[in-house]
Amino acid sequence: REVDKIDERILTLLDDMAETMYAKNGIGLAAPQVGVLKRVVVIDVGDGLMELINPVIVEASGTQTCQEGCLSIHGYFGDVKRPAKIKVKALNRKGEEFTYIATDLLACCTCHEIDHLDGVLFTDKASNITKITD
């Protein structure tokens, strides 16, 4: 569900999701992964925390193959075809709309997390799925 009001619950959700993502050594986390059916995502591919509320991909071009894993499906990895470049529109925690251009890992991660908001797992799109044994 879209977030229609950014209140204390949404701010706490963003904080808790970031804490969980970092604790699990992830680079992205979507609210449905923690049992909350809201369009909220956190991402950090090494350039600092990004908080996305109601994110939408408004442009996509090119193709790249990303090797992906997921905090929801621990130990499995696969190759997923994703756009090479995307333009995303979202709200920040203050309710301000912003856009950003993503390429490479950030594009893969953003697409992966937005897929979660739509009920799609990377395994639905992946080829060469392998399980890494501990």
Side-chain angles (χ1 to χ4, degrees), residues 4 9 14 22 24 37-38 40-41 53-55 57 60-61 65 67 69 74 100 102 107-108 116 118:
D4 54 7
R9 291 177 70 188
L14 286 165
Y22 290 130
K24 297 296 183 181
L37 299 179
K38 293 286 186 183
V40 176
V41 166
I53 299 169
N54 299 334
I57 297 170
S61 61
T65 300
Q67 185 179 60
H74 180 71
Y100 68 95
C108 289
H116 275 297
D118 297 327

Side-chain angles (χ1 to χ4, degrees), residues 5-21:
K5 179 182 175 187
I6 299 174
D7 56 17
E8 203 56 43
R9 291 177 70 188
I10 295 298
L11 298 177
T12 299
L13 175 64
L14 286 165
D15 294 341
D16 290 349
M17 287 173 57
E19 182 180 324
T20 299
M21 177 185 69

